Amino acid sequence: MMDDLTAILAGVFLDRAFGDPHGLPHPVRAVGWLIERSERIIRRVLPDTKGGQLWGGALLALVVCMTVWAGAAGLCAFAGRAGRWALWGARALLSYYLLAARSLRDESGLVGEYLKKGDTEGARRAVSMIVGRDTKRLSGEEIARAAVETVAENTSDGVIAPLFYLFLGGPALGWLYKAVNTMDSMVGYRNERYLYFGRAAARLDDAANFLPSRLSALFMALAALFLGFDARGALRIWRRDGRKHESPNSAQTEAACAGALGVRLGGDAWYFGILHKKPWIGDALRPLEYEDIARAGRLMYGTEAAALAAGMGIFACAAVLAAFA
């Protein structure tokens, strides 16, 4: 049990220290390749009808999830044959590759740096790397809002949800979650190409993130209390606006973040040349500014710390119960 816990903590430390190791192979890229390759094969085999696409998307989800889960479990089993420390190292490395807190902070921070210098065009280019919406029409405040929203939403998807599944079932379960989340980001769109084919991935992602997203919002409100942000506002806006999104999960941390910072997030956005009408989340107690990007990053790290504390507490309770069993 202690090996499991310390491997997770080592993964968090490595993520904080190094972030995404640019230039080195990353397992998520391999997962993306598997999704893309499997989609090509499945689309060639099954008919291009509504039913064919629905079944094809379900088959894609099954193939990708089982392959990724088996790969992570197999790597741990192989490392375990070399000894305890090899297994610990494999678990720590797999935990590290699951987490994206440092990358989120760095990439969103770059947007803030461009805005600070008044380089709106550079900020548009930087924010286009971390959001799915069209960025050509965005003003400076809208660019900052998009960056804050991305940090808030991905606090759940890229940090707390992976930690949740690592604590629950180790690297194999963590990477099963990452497979689902990556599929959703690649095929879970409601456009002509993926309306039916991507439905299974989108539904799986909704289910996998249902509890983690709500825990993330709760931990974010707790982090706001200790970081000097508006914890009461975070809880109030979370309860009021946490469902103001097509996804049952995406607005959870956005609402908590908006309440903690006292700003308004959400609103209409362009995707693939189409304007999507979206409700506002939060109250505009003050204008949103580029410094809010860094504030959202601090909230993200505080949320991660709260989740780690909760996980460690659960591990400690389990260890005590095991000792008296």
Side-chain angles (χ1 to χ4, degrees):
M1 186 175 294
M2 284 303 298
D3 284 355
D4 293 338
L5 176 59
T6 55
I8 294 171
L9 294 176
V12 172
F13 171 80
L14 289 170
D15 176 61
R16 292 250 182 148
F18 302 109
D20 187 0
H22 295 290
L24 295 177
H26 198 295
V28 172
R29 298 188 185 98
V31 174
W33 177 88
L34 174 64
I35 294 167
E36 183 179 0
R37 185 64 178 173
S38 299
E39 179 187 350
R40 289 181 186 176
I41 295 172
I42 291 169
R43 283 187 182 274
R44 283 202 297 263
V45 172
L46 294 180
D48 188 20
T49 62
K50 176 181 176 180
Q53 290 188 32
L54 287 171
W55 280 107
L59 180 59
L60 174 75
L62 179 64
V63 168
V64 171
C65 287
M66 293 306 298
T67 301
V68 174
W69 177 84
L75 179 61
C76 289
F78 179 78
R81 296 177 63 183
R84 173 185 175 186
W85 291 110
L87 175 59
W88 183 90
R91 287 174 173 168
L93 192 63
L94 287 171
S95 299
Y96 162 47
Y97 277 126
L98 273 175
L99 300 169
R102 173 65 183 271
S103 296
L104 273 172
R105 190 203 69 176
D106 289 351
E107 292 174 14
S108 64
L110 183 60
V111 178
E113 288 299 317
Y114 278 119
L115 290 174
K116 183 179 180 180
K117 294 185 291 186
D119 186 355
T120 305
E121 190 57 41
R124 285 196 189 100
R125 289 195 302 270
V127 81
S128 71
M129 304 299 293
I130 59 174
V131 301
R133 71 189 65 182
D134 300 340
T135 60
K136 294 179 181 179
R137 298 177 174 88
L138 299 183
S139 66
E141 182 178 345
E142 290 169 335
I143 291 169
R145 180 178 295 114
V148 171
E149 288 175 7
T150 295
V151 174
E153 181 178 350
N154 284 286
T155 295
S156 178
D157 290 5
V159 184
I160 306 305
L163 282 175
F164 175 82
Y165 286 107
L166 280 170
F167 277 115
L168 190 64
L173 189 60
W175 275 96
L176 177 59
Y177 165 77
K178 181 60 72 173
V180 171
N181 192 240
T182 306
M183 267 194 302
D184 180 63
S185 69
M186 293 180 66
V187 306
Y189 297 104
R190 294 185 178 181
N191 55 24
E192 184 177 354
R193 178 174 177 81
Y194 291 117
L195 180 61
Y196 302 118
F197 191 87
R199 187 169 296 179
R203 294 294 181 269
L204 275 175
D205 187 71
D206 287 344
N209 281 298
F210 187 86
L211 182 56
S213 66
R214 285 150 180 80
L215 289 173
S216 298
L218 181 61
F219 290 140
M220 187 172 285
L222 181 61
L225 178 65
F226 288 97
L227 292 173
F229 297 112
D230 188 355
R232 288 185 178 180
L235 289 171
R236 180 176 64 85
I237 300 299
W238 173 35
R239 289 196 300 266
R240 192 191 75 185
D241 296 347
R243 293 187 178 91
K244 286 186 176 180
H245 202 284
E246 290 182 356
S247 163
N249 306 316
S250 295
Q252 300 292 322
T253 44
E254 284 188 35
C257 182
L261 299 181
V263 299
R264 192 169 63 170
L265 302 177
D268 298 347
W270 291 83
Y271 294 88
F272 305 106
I274 300 173
L275 178 63
H276 290 249
K277 307 295 287 185
K278 299 168 65 177
W280 290 106
I281 296 172
D283 296 326
L285 303 181
R286 60 175 179 81
L288 193 145
E289 53 194 8
Y290 72 83
E291 290 94 338
D292 287 312
I293 300 174
R295 293 174 186 133
R298 292 199 297 275
L299 262 178
M300 173 190 65
Y301 273 141
T303 305
E304 182 183 49
L308 281 173
M312 292 169 66
I314 292 171
F315 262 63
C317 291
V320 171
L321 291 174
F324 287 97

